[in-house]
Amino acid sequence: MAASPAPSKPASLFRLDGTEAETLVSLRPEQVSVDTAVDLSGTPARLVAGAFHTEVPQWIPHAASLTGSELDLSAELPFAVLLVPRPPWTYAVTWGAGHLALNDEHVEQGFGLMFGIRRLDPFDLGLIASAALDASARATQISIPGGGDLSAFRLEPYGELVNRLAGAADLTELTYGRVTGKRYRIRVGNALWVPLAKEPRAFLADLDAVGAVVDEPDRDSALRFIAQTRPLDRHHRLLPTLEDRLAGALGGEENGALGLAWPATAVREAEHAGSFRVTGLGAGGPFTVAGRLDLEHLTGRLATLDAEKRVKALRAGRVVTCADDAGEEESGAAIPAAKWVVFETTIDHVRYVFHQGRWYRIGETYVEQMRAQVAALLARRYPWPEVKWTPSGEPDDEHRYCRKVAREPGFLCLDKDFATTPLHPRFELCDLLGPGGELIHVKWLGRATAASHLYTQALVSAEALRDEPDALAQLAAKAAALDPARVVTDPPGTVVLAAAGRSWHVDELFTLSQVALLRLDRAVRALRAELRFADIPYAPKSRTRAKAAKRRR
């Protein structure tokens, strides 16, 4: 006996706001072969289908010059989109390249994820794609073809922005689940890839069922933590309020925490930059900052603008690192000034963060749990000698301080003494080697966001010393050169972060700095070492000394 036909077929489902005319991008007449109204059991819908033409790839001449073969690889990408209004939303079912026809500004961000959080089996996941919400912006995709539980994907408990999931799901409410009694391996992100009924009335019922699942509470889901941190879409109702608060902070108002944060793509260049050239940041023309870039260099220019123009100017401005003091030898790409700024504010017990040029929502429960863990972590103290750091305003200020500490018994100064390994061509093993062989990394943290490169330095050093014999040999040689009696045979078991300019306290760190710190602690523990913290006694920076130092540079 022949099997009965499947009641459903998988397709990509999106949910959009706005009018029907706004949901699609502008399509040229030659791209559209069908644009017609359709009736779905009494519900008016719209079907748009056609093909996108792809141009000849830019790499064709290279391939032809090497092989002598002429290649004609232009092609047509067929697409179809079915728009179904189910107020207050419009659902879009896409086939082929149909997703390219949707107006991304009106696509509900994370729609598919919200369904997946409520219906995916946390013990039978096949894929998780995520990005780190910190200075690294690291992107990761882990696949387990046979399926695995959530713990097998080793997600960070904090600061992991999940973008896509795949796995077995309970589809009891949909036609497929009711008819077959089986689960189905769905894919979720901004879209939901799921079997939808082929018969119109059942299809509409499936859309309503999906919407009901997305709108139900997620308190019983093991995956609910995914929704704790989400990017805001461009039409979020609070976006104007958030942009106004950011504009006020750029002008000096105390309505949230504002700081300077190095973009993920510029951490290395910024660490070694001789100057920074800033262009397009409002009126006044380009300018160059010798030495370190401070937040005031950006806000000083933006504060002169009307409040409603500041955020636009921040997004239009560009910052490029330069190797020289005069801003003439570029060492990195021009990066939007908005990616150099981080801002946090709270509305109705929810934390919102402006990071890498985009807004994110962070749930209050998430923040409270993270603060408790960070507070416990910062309680691991390292005793620091009574050596005061009095800033001189000179570029080698940190090195001068490390040399002062090295006069204390057992401390060795390795600041600016770089190591080289196959995996790490140039890095600092530490700024100071402690009496017990501790790796000590020293920084002046003038702002709450300034810790990210300190974390990076500590992690690179710990990983190199644990994984690369060359690094350990170089540490032993450098220590013996400074003190012949000092013998280093094993990777140090303690990593110390020593800071001046602010204390190691949870209230002194941005949310994203706390995220990065918890991630660093996990990584260091995985390397069989312990993270400890030291508050350096210091004198506040003098603006007079800083200005004099800038004039000398």
Side-chain angles (χ1 to χ4, degrees), residues 363-424:
E364 187 65 16
T365 301
Y366 172 106
V367 174
E368 290 175 356
Q369 293 172 347
M370 182 172 59
R371 282 175 58 87
Q373 290 200 22
V374 171
L377 174 60
L378 294 178
R380 297 189 211 144
R381 290 289 161 165
Y382 179 79
W384 196 254
E386 289 298 323
V387 179
K388 191 174 185 179
W389 186 337
T390 302
S392 66
E394 297 294 339
D396 64 345
D397 200 33
E398 178 186 305
H399 184 64
R400 295 184 183 201
Y401 179 72
C402 288
R403 291 178 61 183
K404 283 178 63 177
V405 176
R407 298 172 192 155
E408 298 293 308
F411 287 90
L412 301 178
C413 178
L414 296 182
D415 183 52
K416 296 187 179 296
D417 190 354
F418 295 98
T420 300
T421 69
L423 292 179
H424 302 92

Side-chain angles (χ1 to χ4, degrees), residues 107-345:
V107 172
E108 184 183 11
Q109 302 297 299
F111 160 69
L113 280 172
M114 290 188 286
F115 183 92
I117 287 170
R118 292 156 175 79
R119 289 298 178 267
L120 279 168
D121 183 347
F123 297 99
D124 193 6
L125 297 173
L127 176 145
I128 296 181
S130 63
L133 188 60
D134 62 9
S136 72
R138 166 187 50 81
T140 304
Q141 178 173 306
I142 300 176
S143 299
I144 301 179
D149 64 38
L150 182 60
S151 63
F153 291 85
R154 301 183 63 81
L155 278 177
E156 297 285 351
Y158 298 105
E160 200 80 3
L161 186 67
V162 175
N163 299 312
R164 287 181 292 121
L165 295 167
D170 176 5
L171 302 181
T172 303
E173 296 95 338
L174 273 65
T175 300
Y176 176 87
R178 290 198 308 273
V179 173
T180 67
K182 299 177 181 179
R183 299 192 304 173
Y184 196 88
R185 299 192 76 78
I186 66 172
R187 299 193 299 265
V188 302
N190 287 338
L192 169 62
W193 191 81
V194 68
L196 298 171
K198 294 186 287 186
E199 188 276 321
R201 190 180 301 276
F203 169 79
L204 293 174
D206 281 354
L207 294 189
D208 292 338
V210 167
V213 170
V214 168
D215 294 336
E216 73 182 28
D218 63 0
R219 57 178 172 268
D220 296 325
S221 170
L223 300 172
R224 64 176 303 193
F225 72 94
I226 291 172
Q228 295 265 16
T229 302
R230 300 304 318 152
L232 299 188
D233 63 47
R234 299 174 188 176
H235 294 279
H236 193 281
R237 64 181 181 82
L238 288 178
L239 204 56
T241 301
L242 293 169
E243 298 268 302
D244 286 346
R245 289 197 180 189
L246 174 58
L250 293 170
E253 295 178 17
E254 294 290 336
N255 54 10
L258 182 72
L260 189 74
W262 292 353
T265 55
V267 172
R268 180 177 176 81
E269 290 81 2
E271 176 69 34
H272 299 290
S275 62
F276 297 79
R277 191 170 71 250
V278 184
T279 61
L281 196 67
F287 63 94
T288 298
V289 177
R292 289 292 181 193
L293 181 70
D294 291 328
L295 179 65
E296 289 78 8
H297 293 125
L298 304 180
T299 56
R301 174 68 65 87
L302 293 168
T304 65
L305 303 176
D306 293 337
E308 63 271 14
K309 297 180 180 179
R310 290 174 192 153
V311 176
K312 183 177 180 180
L314 181 69
R315 296 186 188 278
R318 295 292 185 270
V319 178
V320 60
T321 57
C322 299
D324 64 321
D325 291 343
E328 297 177 352
E329 300 176 22
E330 295 185 4
S331 59
I335 297 174
K339 291 192 175 184
W340 293 80
V341 169
V342 63
F343 175 67
E344 290 186 11
T345 190

